[in-house]
Amino acid sequence: MSATPPRRLAGLAAPGSVLAEGLTAARLREPSEDELRALESALAVALGGAAVLGTAASAATTKGGGVVAGATHAWVTMAAVKVTTVVVLVGLATSGAVAWRQHATAPDRSTIAARSAPPPARTPPALTTAPTVTAPEAEAFPPPSPLPPASTLLRFAETSPSPGRSGALRSRHRDPGAVTVPRTLAMDVAPGNASDLSGELDLIERAQQALSDDPSSALALAEEHRRRYDSSLLVQEREVIAVAALATLGRRIEARARAERFIRRFPESAHAARVRRLAAAVTETR
Amino acid sequence: MLGKVPACVPAAPAAPGQRRPTFREVFEAHARYAWRSLLGLGVREADLPDASQQVFLVVHARLEADQIPAEAVRTFVYGVCLRVASDSRRRAHRRHEELCAAPPEPSYAATQERSVALGEALAQLEAVLDRLPPAQRAAFVLYEIEELDMTEVAATLGCPLQTAYSRLHAARKIVVAALGGVIGDESPPHEERRTK
């Protein structure tokens, strides 16, 4: 750098001023471990699983050692607990972190979109059995949400970070001496019940894991998910798995039909690209 | 989305001899700030999971295609964030009507005053950022919050260095005018760059 860069505003702002505080807060924001894990899970599904990113569980294991081998399970459990109780402050005592709610102060951001995620359906699916893909599934559901799948995952309150992970993932820009912040996302959760959520996640994760070795099982698990949860929080993930399984099994027409339904229903999904690729692949091999 | 290469980043293969980072490495090194910069760039919190997923799907595709120079991963990721944030803001605008309910009242403990103050300050800062033209906002966020240096800012924005400086300067002027709070010698960035 031969040029002298301008001094950063944070260094020019009066301590305690809105400017200084706002910049400090903006610099210290970061996702909670749970949000990162949810992102990893969504990516694992979108990218075809462990081969690329590792599942949430295996990733946690590689980073944190044996301690976090059950991370996924813990995550699910925690999610389950939090879904039913709107907890504003979690882990305050142990982490020493103070929490706030951005909602309260940033109305522009504090939309309720996440909260408007469709609740897990309680109604029995119109079509209950048979892993056939001819069901007019799209019509059975409420209008597609414009939000791709990850938005329907839960948001969690920030808890005390797990040292193994957070150390590895710490941003290089983070100021080590800075105030511990403050980010509790309010419980932007869809209403639901604890056992449903953990059961759902469990099914989807098993289906994802089965995909490479045993696509028939993956498909069966996806169908089981459809029977039990219908249009649920993880409907997109399930459909991606089903399309991939059908393609692997050589059931090309079904794979394409299901892929097309997916694209119609979730045109803006983050998974749409993968589904298109799957559909294109089965078309080519015809 | 996956088909677009951010205009600001050269789609050149990695330099020979420099190992291409794995996707996991890139994710671990960049997920946190990508998330933060998306927020800074105006992605609403409700859209953040999707936006960050989009970012890394693009990153993955480009990594696979060997189109991210190993030494420029960070700039690349920021560039993707800019693009995704822009898409996200557009979509959010379209579905504006569904987002109007007031959030529930939070409950604060006395010990949280500090956090409350930070949160309020952040909200004010964001309200100002929301009024900036996107290019100015991006320059401000990348320099003042993400603390990139100005050459990186220019590379990420895909504009000449001078343009990056003037965008930053314009943004700072508006932010300072709105929030005040600057003490000491606030030399405008466009003057300092001439010291080169």
Side-chain angles (χ1 to χ4, degrees), chain A residues 16-39:
Chain A
S17 64
V18 168
L19 181 60
E21 300 274 81
L23 287 169
T24 301
R27 286 176 177 195
L28 292 176
R29 285 194 286 203
E30 60 175 31
S32 69
E33 294 305 310
D34 295 312
E35 284 167 324
L36 280 177
R37 211 165 297 150
L39 175 57

Side-chain angles (χ1 to χ4, degrees), chain A residues 1-10 12-15 17-19 21-33 35-36 39-40 42-43 46-47 52-55 59 62-63 88-89 92 98-116 146-152 155 165-166 168-174 179-183 185-186 188 237 268-271 273-274 277, chain B residues 2 23-24 27-29 31-33 35-36 38-50 52-54 56-57 60 64 74 78 91 94-95 98-109 111-112 114-127 130 137 140 142-152 161 165 168 172 175-176 179-190 192-193 195-196:
Chain A
M1 285 293 93
S2 54
T4 307
R7 281 186 66 192
R8 295 191 208 268
L9 266 187
L12 295 165
S17 64
V18 168
L19 181 60
E21 300 274 81
L23 287 169
T24 301
R27 286 176 177 195
L28 292 176
R29 285 194 286 203
E30 60 175 31
S32 69
E33 294 305 310
E35 284 167 324
L36 280 177
L39 175 57
E40 283 180 33
L43 284 169
L47 296 171
V52 180
L53 189 60
T55 63
T62 56
K63 282 198 291 267
V88 175
L89 306 172
L92 192 59
V98 277
W100 68 11
R101 289 187 53 177
Q102 267 180 310
H103 283 296
T105 51
D108 287 350
R109 255 194 220 316
S110 63
T111 65
I112 57 163
R115 263 173 255 128
S116 68
L147 302 177
S151 66
T152 58
R155 312 285 175 79
R165 279 178 67 84
S166 56
L169 290 169
R170 200 56 70 190
S171 158
R172 55 184 281 191
H173 295 301
R174 189 181 167 83
V179 189
T180 308
V181 172
R183 212 182 79 69
L185 285 171
D188 292 337
E237 281 73 13
E268 294 189 68
S269 166
H271 296 302
R274 179 168 181 225
R277 277 200 303 277
Chain B
L2 288 176
F23 180 62
R24 169 152 283 288
F27 180 81
E28 288 183 8
R32 284 171 186 273
Y33 76 69
W35 187 97
R36 181 183 56 227
L38 287 170
L39 271 182
L41 293 167
V43 173
R44 293 166 320 111
E45 216 164 87
D47 295 335
L48 203 49
D50 307 320
S52 46
Q53 191 181 343
Q54 290 284 8
F56 282 98
L57 289 176
H60 180 263
E64 289 293 289
R74 190 158 70 114
Y78 276 120
R91 277 204 296 271
R94 283 209 299 269
R95 55 168 193 272
E98 64 186 81
L99 306 172
C100 298
E105 276 301 306
S107 60
Y108 292 119
T111 53
Q112 292 174 258
R114 166 74 172 141
S115 291
V116 173
L118 279 173
E120 283 168 358
L122 179 59
Q124 288 189 46
L125 175 62
E126 287 187 329
D130 281 344
R137 178 185 196 142
F140 185 91
L142 294 174
Y143 188 74
E144 303 291 352
I145 296 173
E146 299 301 320
E147 300 188 283
L148 268 57
D149 63 44
M150 282 308 291
T151 51
E152 288 178 304
L161 188 58
Y165 271 110
L168 173 66
R172 280 169 61 132
V175 170
V176 171
L179 300 181
V182 169
I183 52 170
D185 174 30
E186 195 232 342
S187 306
H190 72 283
E192 294 187 16
R193 74 165 184 266
T195 62
K196 193 189 279 201

